[in-house]
Amino acid sequence: MDVEIIQTKDGSHTLYSKQFDEIYHSRNGALAESQHIFIHNGLEACHSSVINVFELGFGTGLNALLSWEYAESKNIRINYHSVELYPVSEELIGQINYPELIGHKEKFQQLHAANWNDTVTLSENFTLHKINGSVLDMQFPVSTINVIFFDAFSPEKQSELWTVDVFSKCMIFLLRMGYWLLIAPNLMSAETCSKQVLKFKSYKALMAKGIW
C-alpha cells in the first residue's frame, strides 16, 4: 500500500494512505490519541492481571508498543492479537519517530520483527500474535477477549469492516463485560457505530476522532 509519513500536532508521526486517502491517526496527535482512547479507556479500565487484546489494524504498531509498556509498568500479562491486511514496510517503520519521543526503541523493533501468523513471547508480560490477513477470515474461541481495539479506516473508506456481520463476529470474541474501543471519523459515525454495538449489550466505551 502506498503510504507516507506525516507529523501530527503532538509531534508524533502517523501515516497517510494514498490508497484510502486517509490518515492512520488523528491529526491532533497520534501518540495522544492512542494513549487516551486505547490505553486509558481500554487497558486501564480492565483491572485484570491478564488482559487479552484483539486489535483490528496493527498499522504502525503504536497501540502495541504502548500496550507492551503498560504491561511492564503494571506487571501484568497482555496477550496481544492484531490483524493487518496491509503491513507497513520495514523501511517506513524505521523512519517513524515513536522511539525518539517515548523511548523503547528495542521494543518497537521487536514488534515489527516478530513473525506474522505466529505467537511470539516478547517478555514475561507480553505476547504478540500478528495476523497478516482480514478480520473477515478470523476465528477466535468464544468469549476470550477483554478488549477490542477497532482501529480500522472510516466507514466511507472501508465499508466492508463496518457491518453488522463484522460487529457480530467481533462480539463473539469479546467477554460479556469486555471493552470495545473504536475511532469514528465524526460524531455522526460515532453515534451510528455505538447504536450497532449496543445491540449486542457489550458496549463499554466509544471515542471519536475530533471529539477530544
Side-chain angles (χ1 to χ4, degrees):
M1 187 165 62
D2 193 3
V3 294
E4 61 184 38
I5 293 175
I6 64 172
Q7 185 166 304
T8 62
K9 289 183 179 179
D10 68 0
S12 60
H13 285 159
T14 189
L15 299 178
Y16 166 71
S17 166
K18 296 179 181 179
Q19 176 180 340
F20 291 98
D21 187 28
E22 192 157 292
I23 59 174
Y24 281 49
H25 303 92
S26 169
R27 293 184 185 276
N28 290 328
L31 180 58
E33 177 186 69
S34 289
Q35 288 176 324
H36 180 62
I37 295 175
F38 297 112
I39 306 305
H40 177 66
N41 286 284
L43 299 184
E44 290 182 9
C46 285
H47 305 295
S48 176
S49 60
V50 179
I51 301 175
N52 296 315
V53 176
F54 171 66
E55 176 185 50
L56 194 155
F58 186 75
T60 63
L62 178 56
N63 293 337
L65 179 62
L66 294 175
S67 296
W68 187 359
E69 178 53 28
Y70 181 81
E72 300 284 356
S73 68
K74 301 298 183 181
N75 194 28
I76 63 172
R77 184 174 183 84
I78 291 181
N79 301 309
Y80 199 96
H81 309 267
S82 185
V83 60
E84 177 60 63
L85 189 57
Y86 306 103
V88 180
S89 70
E90 292 182 15
E91 180 182 1
L92 207 57
I93 289 299
Q95 300 174 45
I96 290 177
N97 69 352
Y98 305 151
E100 285 72 29
L101 295 178
I102 60 175
H104 314 300
K105 181 177 182 178
E106 185 176 348
K107 283 188 174 71
F108 189 59
Q109 292 172 338
Q110 286 180 281
L111 289 168
H112 287 281
N115 290 334
W116 289 92
N117 307 310
D118 285 333
T119 299
V120 181
T121 300
L122 295 176
S123 77
E124 292 183 359
N125 301 96
F126 194 84
T127 63
L128 175 67
H129 186 187
K130 296 189 300 185
I131 302 103
N132 184 197
S134 170
V135 67
L136 302 174
D137 303 319
M138 293 276 306
Q139 294 294 333
F140 273 117
V142 174
S143 299
T144 55
I145 300 298
N146 301 93
V147 187
I148 293 176
F149 293 174
F150 196 88
D151 204 7
F153 288 125
S154 68
E156 292 76 19
K157 306 298 182 178
Q158 283 189 308
S159 59
E160 72 276 11
L161 299 180
W162 298 81
T163 66
V164 172
D165 286 344
V166 171
F167 279 32
S168 299
K169 189 169 191 176
C170 289
M171 281 302 173
I172 291 173
F173 308 158
L174 191 64
L175 288 164
R176 187 173 181 274
M177 295 304 292
Y179 287 76
W180 174 297
L181 296 117
L182 58 85
I183 298 176
N186 51 56
L187 282 169
M188 183 176 295
S189 294
E191 291 169 359
T192 300
C193 294
S194 66
K195 288 176 183 177
Q196 292 292 343
V197 178
L198 279 167
K199 291 179 182 178
F200 300 97
K201 312 290 186 189
S202 295
Y203 170 81
K204 297 297 286 289
L206 172 70
M207 304 300 295
K209 263 182 196 170
I211 293 177
W212 59 277

